[in-house]
Amino acid sequence: VYEGDSPRTRGMFGRFKVRLENGAEVYCGNGFTLNQRHDFWKRKSSLVGNWIEMKVQDDPAKVAVVRFPVFKRLRIDLPKGK
């Protein structure tokens, strides 16, 4: 969980660092509402290890690292990962 670095998101949630199933890591900072950004920043420590669902341009099964990840939802229904 990282703080935003643009004037619009400074002082609130900016992006997730996501570890894909193949071990590659990408940052997902698009697709969040301002309400989500405020909420996620307030509870940032509890979000570490959670799964997220995101939309990507590439098929993750065919490439090592996906491009243009966009947040869809937080998967609190799944057990936390490593």
Side-chain angles (χ1 to χ4, degrees), residues 18-52:
V18 180
R19 183 174 300 120
L20 304 176
E21 290 179 330
N22 66 6
E25 293 180 343
V26 297
Y27 292 95
C28 181
N30 292 315
F32 303 96
T33 66
L34 282 176
N35 286 339
Q36 286 173 321
R37 290 182 186 278
H38 287 291
D39 177 52
F40 289 172
W41 192 244
K42 286 180 190 172
R43 53 190 190 113
K44 58 188 168 199
S45 60
S46 70
L47 297 176
V48 174
N50 277 300
W51 290 82
I52 67 167

Side-chain angles (χ1 to χ4, degrees), residues 3-13 34 37-38:
E3 181 177 359
D5 52 10
S6 73
R8 181 175 162 257
T9 60
R10 206 167 283 130
M12 66 179 94
F13 172 82
L34 282 176
R37 290 182 186 278
H38 287 291

Side-chain angles (χ1 to χ4, degrees), residues 20 26-28 30 53-72:
L20 304 176
V26 297
Y27 292 95
C28 181
N30 292 315
E53 191 172 314
M54 58 186 186
K55 178 181 171 187
V56 295
Q57 180 176 356
D58 307 302
D59 179 355
K62 295 181 181 178
V63 296
V65 178
V66 296
R67 296 183 299 160
F68 310 116
V70 177
F71 177 80
K72 289 180 75 175

